[in-house]
Amino acid sequence: MKKDIDIPVVENVYVAIIHEWDEELLNKVWNAYLINDKDIAIEMAIIVSNGFNDTKKTSTIRHGLGTLQAKSFKKFEPLQEEIFALDNIFALSFFAENKLYDKKYYFEKNTINSSSLATIPLIEKEGIIAR
């Protein structure tokens, strides 16, 4: 029965969009990061991302991130500013403590911008955390 199914809640794992300096491009760029702020590692992390609105849709991109140790982060996708006019979803799946976790992180259109930046924990760079 449905009531017997344990669906664990994802806590202390985040997707953030960071605005940071790129030494190769000599410019500020936007990158997506997965942040594991848990006290344990997460394993087999997979993220599927895409952007959309009523008339447009981006390609679906899949990232196999493997294991993220406790209190760590990993950059997984460079972002072009053109997609910020779309709603963006990052669907995350991972294992921790022998349980499968799933969560979707949303960035509504036009919410990724320089005026919304705040210091992101662990990374200590300016960015935006998904809701």
Side-chain angles (χ1 to χ4, degrees):
M1 303 210 121
K2 270 187 169 179
K3 65 181 174 81
D4 297 325
I5 298 173
D6 179 30
I7 302 173
V9 176
V10 175
E11 294 176 327
N12 300 321
V13 178
Y14 312 100
V15 170
I17 307 301
I18 305 294
H19 199 211
E20 61 190 340
W21 184 257
D22 185 304
E23 286 296 329
E24 287 184 24
L25 298 175
L26 299 175
N27 195 7
K28 282 196 126 182
V29 296
W30 296 90
N31 290 304
Y33 281 79
L34 179 61
I35 302 169
N36 177 16
D37 201 15
K38 290 180 163 296
D39 293 325
I40 60 169
I42 63 173
E43 301 173 335
M44 298 175 55
I46 298 171
I47 293 182
V48 178
S49 64
N50 62 26
F52 63 93
N53 66 17
D54 293 336
T55 59
K56 296 180 184 175
K57 184 175 180 183
T58 67
S59 298
T60 299
I61 302 175
R62 293 167 183 81
H63 305 278
L65 301 178
T67 299
L68 268 81
Q69 296 303 317
K71 304 291 183 184
S72 68
F73 54 89
K74 189 172 204 175
K75 179 173 26 176
F76 66 89
E77 184 177 336
L79 301 172
Q80 296 178 341
E81 290 189 31
E82 292 80 13
I83 69 163
F84 300 161
L86 306 174
D87 292 320
N88 288 277
I89 296 178
F90 295 86
L92 169 66
S93 297
F94 65 89
F95 283 94
E97 300 176 318
N98 294 320
K99 292 182 183 177
L100 175 63
Y101 291 81
D102 289 301
K103 184 170 181 176
K104 290 184 180 176
Y105 297 89
Y106 295 92
F107 290 95
E108 292 181 11
K109 67 181 178 180
N110 301 317
T111 58
I112 303 171
N113 57 58
S114 296
S115 64
S116 300
L117 297 176
T119 302
I120 305 300
L122 279 170
I123 300 176
E124 298 303 321
K125 293 183 180 179
E126 295 291 304
I128 303 159
I129 292 181
R131 299 179 203 194

